Amino acid sequence: MKDPLPVKDHAARLVRFQRIEIDVTRLVLSGIALALPVAIGAATGHLADGLTAVMGALLISAAGHEGGWRARFVDVGASAAIGALVVWLGALVGRHGTLASGWIALVAFGAALVGGIGTLEARIAANSVVFTIIGAHLGIGPESPGHILLYVVLGMAVAAALTLGTHALSRALSPLWRNELEGPPGPKWPFRRSVQKWRAGLRTWHGWQYAVRLVTSMAVAEVVSHFRPGAHTYWIALTVSLVVLRDEAASPIRAVERGLGTTIGVLVGGGLIGVLPTWGIVVLIGAIGAVRPYLKLANYTAYAAVMTPLITMLNELGHDISWAVLRERVLDTLIGCAIGLCVGYVPWRMWSSRQH
């Protein structure tokens, strides 16, 4: 187990932006993929449906950016199919209180286990938990699960077409494009070997530990949500899913980054949302969509700050957003961070210390 970093290093990480290579094409595509559905929805008088479609675009925004055609299609296809399924199932159970909470905990446990196979599986598994929670929240609203699924799929189709279409264009303009149809040279993805290693890990406690940490934290989050008044307490479980990490030592700093970033996002984004016209909301969503892939790698605090107003706008489905809702976001985030630390990190850290 990794030792935690010194406090001064954690503090520096909150404000430091990592140097990473910027893919301008990907940033532009990400912004268009999020802005286009909401722009169409606003223009046709169906803003809520446009915002639901943005959820679909957001769900597969990280897919299909690496490798040859086969790897990209597998990435996009798996992300879209599993994402659509979990959103639909979440919307189906969303109205059923305790059943929804049990389903969210079950998905969290299964996703945490399957995510141990490899990088792609880990990303899809993490998205499955997040969008199960969001789907359950959307299911409480007036729209049917089928209606929600339809617009989520449309949003995914827009994002996938932009990503794969741009790759096709770049390959067509490259004199080497014919050599990359089946992917870059090198060994094939050792999926079978990864599965064998994962199954071997499940014979030890270490292979189950992350799933147990996440599901216990999620269960506590759901219990707290049931006793906390308000229609937006799903944000507690959402926060838990983001701060209880597979890398146990990274959970504390992620909780601080999430809490601080959400507070900043409410203070800054809340004011903007309250005064921007519809076209301004479209521009804001596009701008957030463009910068989020960079911020997620460069500075998670800034990433959380921009994602808070975005997710708030998407989940309120075009309704007026009050400061009371935004304050509730901050409080629920802090509760989720506290649960993540007190249930998903501290007891396990103490137990591990005693073992050693």
Side-chain angles (χ1 to χ4, degrees):
M1 180 179 296
K2 298 179 181 178
D3 293 326
L5 294 172
V7 174
K8 64 178 181 179
D9 291 337
H10 284 324
R13 176 176 166 176
L14 293 175
V15 298
R16 183 175 62 242
F17 280 74
Q18 302 290 333
R19 290 188 176 184
I20 62 172
E21 183 179 352
I22 298 176
D23 186 343
V24 176
T25 302
R26 180 176 178 181
L27 300 187
V28 172
L29 282 177
S30 181
I32 295 175
L34 267 60
L36 186 59
V38 69
I40 295 174
T44 58
H46 296 85
L47 180 59
D49 292 333
L51 291 170
T52 303
V54 174
M55 284 289 188
L58 191 64
L59 198 156
I60 64 164
S61 60
H65 295 285
E66 297 179 357
W69 279 112
R70 181 176 299 170
R72 290 171 186 259
F73 273 113
V74 168
D75 193 354
V76 171
S79 299
I82 296 174
L85 179 63
V86 299
V87 169
W88 180 63
L89 291 175
L92 280 176
V93 303
R95 301 175 186 271
H96 300 289
T98 303
L99 176 62
S101 296
W103 175 247
I104 290 171
L106 181 63
V107 169
F109 184 76
L113 283 181
V114 175
I117 296 176
T119 303
L120 174 62
E121 291 78 13
R123 170 160 53 79
I124 294 177
N127 280 343
S128 298
V129 180
V130 169
F131 282 91
T132 293
I133 297 168
I134 292 176
H137 173 68
L138 293 178
I140 300 174
E143 304 296 348
S144 68
H147 185 93
I148 293 169
L149 176 63
L150 171 63
Y151 284 94
V152 165
V153 170
L154 288 175
M156 290 193 295
V158 169
L162 286 170
T163 300
L164 297 176
T166 302
H167 177 64
L169 180 61
S170 66
R171 293 303 94 206
L173 296 176
S174 169
L176 301 177
W177 71 279
R178 292 182 180 84
N179 296 327
E180 298 188 16
L181 290 177
E182 295 302 323
K188 293 183 178 180
W189 181 37
F191 178 74
R192 182 176 300 178
R193 189 185 310 166
S194 297
V195 171
Q196 290 173 347
K197 182 179 179 181
W198 170 71
R199 291 178 62 183
L202 293 181
R203 299 189 185 100
T204 67
W205 165 242
H206 180 74
W208 294 83
Q209 189 182 60
Y210 173 60
V212 175
R213 287 196 296 116
L214 182 59
V215 74
T216 52
S217 301
M218 198 65 70
V220 172
E222 289 298 323
V223 171
V224 172
S225 296
H226 279 290
F227 285 98
R228 176 164 157 67
H232 310 283
T233 49
Y234 76 98
W235 201 267
I236 298 174
L238 189 63
T239 301
V240 167
S241 72
L242 296 172
V243 301
V244 179
L245 304 178
R246 191 174 299 275
D247 179 3
E248 183 182 331
S251 291
I253 186 61
R254 176 58 59 87
V256 175
E257 289 171 333
R258 190 77 198 178
L260 180 60
T262 299
T263 303
I264 295 172
V266 165
L267 294 176
V268 177
L272 291 175
I273 293 171
V275 300
L276 286 177
T278 301
W279 65 266
I281 295 294
V282 174
V283 173
L284 179 61
I285 289 177
I288 292 174
V291 301
R292 58 177 294 275
Y294 164 74
L295 292 179
K296 189 171 185 179
L297 297 175
N299 186 288
Y300 193 84
T301 302
Y303 172 76
V306 301
M307 288 301 291
T308 298
L310 175 62
I311 299 298
T312 300
M313 286 186 288
L314 299 183
N315 280 287
E316 294 308 312
L317 298 178
H319 300 145
D320 291 333
I321 301 173
S322 66
W323 276 104
V325 170
L326 295 169
R327 287 195 300 269
E328 195 173 287
R329 286 284 184 269
V330 174
L331 182 56
D332 287 344
T333 297
L334 297 178
I335 293 173
C337 290
I339 292 172
L341 288 174
C342 296
V343 180
Y345 174 74
V346 172
W348 306 94
R349 189 73 192 182
M350 293 174 63
W351 177 78
S352 178
S353 298
R354 286 198 297 269
Q355 292 296 108
H356 287 81

